[in-house]
Structure formats: structure tokens, C-alpha cells
Amino acid sequence: MLVDYSSEKTFLNLMEVHKGILHKVARLYMDSPEDREDLQQEIIIQLWKSYQNFKGDSAFSSWMYRVAINTVISYFKKEKRRSDIYDYASAKEPENEAYNPEKDRQLEVFYQAVQQLNPVEKALIFYFMEGLSHRETGFQLGISEGNVRVKLNRTKEKLQQIIKKTGYES
């Protein structure tokens, strides 16, 4: 089936289908709901500006990941700002998931630890969580597959050390 990637309606439909990517990227990089919303808006703007260049040679989601992560990295370079610590107690539970206090605590510790990583390290963890291969991650970030492997291992070790410092052991 041939998809017309030139229409605004197609873009909006694709955004609706893949809006989870926006939420995941924003949650990984920003603490407060307001900052996450600002970042999502910035990503959407960049996606729309770049959309004319998307030809459908790759999956829309792959292209969206790349634009989103590049936008985040540029955003931090431009803004050079950090927000206040997010109050995790006010976070809403996912609607279709049974509440599990231990899982909730693990996620809280994980996201607090991730906030201490630099933007590239966050991108590596994000792509790892999304199940991208080292090759795909390298393509998305513009680095070699081998470099991804090394940086990802170092980032995982760094994340483990940060979590250990909090005194949390799962």
C-alpha cells in the first residue's frame, strides 16, 4: 500500500499512532510535567519542520526516534537549563496496569538515576529500552556500532553506580 507522506492529515495520524515515543523521550529527559510538555512541543515542531524530508524509506517510528533524540540534544545545548526535582508522588498511574508499589518504586529510582546522565547517555539507555540493536542505535546517533557497545556498557555501569548510591537494591 502506497502512503502519501505529503499530507498534514497523514502526519497527524502517524503522530497519534506513535505518540508514545514523545512521552517516553520526554519522560526520560525531563523531571517536571511542564518541562516534559515543553519538550514534547519542541519535538513536534521539529518533526513537522522535517516531515517534508521523510520519504518513507524507513519506518516512521525510526525516523521519529532520530528526530526526537536529536531535538533533545539540541534543546539541551541551547537551553543549558535544569528544572526542579519532580515530585514522583504526584505521578498518575497508567490506566491499564495494576498498581504495583515495588515496580513504582523501581521506576522512581530508575528515572531519578537517569536524570544524572548526560543527553547522549540518556539516548543510549532509551534506545536500549526500546530494543534497538547496536547498529540501529549507532545509525540514530551517528556513531559506530562498536562505539555504541562501549558507551552503552559504560552508561549501564554508571547507572548501576548511581542507583547503588541511593541505597536502593532491587
Side-chain angles (χ1 to χ4, degrees):
M1 180 176 130
L2 191 59
V3 178
D4 175 17
Y5 288 111
S6 64
S7 79
E8 181 178 341
K9 183 177 181 180
T10 302
F11 175 79
L12 293 174
N13 288 337
L14 288 166
M15 290 301 296
E16 181 63 28
V17 169
H18 299 288
K19 66 185 174 188
I21 293 171
L22 290 173
H23 299 296
K24 289 175 188 175
V25 170
R27 179 65 182 95
L28 197 63
Y29 282 89
M30 294 299 194
D31 289 329
S32 77
E34 295 83 11
D35 287 341
R36 286 196 294 269
E37 190 173 317
D38 288 349
L39 182 57
Q40 286 181 33
Q41 291 299 319
E42 183 66 27
I43 292 169
I44 291 169
I45 290 167
Q46 293 307 316
L47 285 165
W48 177 245
K49 286 180 178 178
S50 304
Y51 185 62
Q52 66 188 5
N53 299 324
F54 178 68
K55 304 297 181 214
D57 296 336
S58 63
F60 181 82
S61 59
S62 296
W63 175 80
M64 189 173 175
Y65 281 132
R66 186 174 193 144
V67 172
I69 296 298
N70 287 337
T71 300
V72 168
I73 291 170
S74 296
Y75 184 85
F76 278 108
K77 283 179 183 174
K78 283 191 297 189
E79 296 296 321
K80 297 283 188 194
R81 65 177 176 84
R82 296 293 303 180
S83 65
D84 294 334
I85 298 299
Y86 176 62
D87 177 14
Y88 290 92
S90 67
K92 295 179 185 172
E93 285 300 310
E95 290 180 28
N96 297 330
E97 211 174 287
Y99 179 70
N100 178 337
E102 181 56 26
K103 184 178 178 184
D104 194 44
R105 176 71 180 130
Q106 287 173 345
L107 283 172
E108 176 184 334
V109 169
F110 172 76
Y111 281 118
Q112 285 175 341
V114 166
Q115 292 306 314
Q116 297 179 45
L117 300 175
N118 69 44
V120 173
E121 292 168 334
K122 287 178 184 178
L124 287 163
I125 291 297
F126 175 75
Y127 286 137
F128 173 74
M129 290 170 44
E130 289 297 306
L132 270 68
S133 69
H134 292 118
R135 173 177 279 160
E136 293 168 319
T137 300
F139 176 75
Q140 296 291 345
L141 295 175
I143 60 178
S144 73
E145 186 176 344
N147 202 354
V148 168
R149 190 173 288 110
V150 170
K151 285 180 181 276
L152 180 59
N153 285 334
R154 288 181 183 161
T155 301
K156 285 190 220 174
E157 288 172 14
K158 183 177 178 180
L159 204 49
Q160 286 177 333
Q161 293 304 316
I162 292 168
I163 290 170
K164 282 182 185 176
K165 285 180 186 175
T166 68
Y168 184 83
E169 300 281 336
S170 59

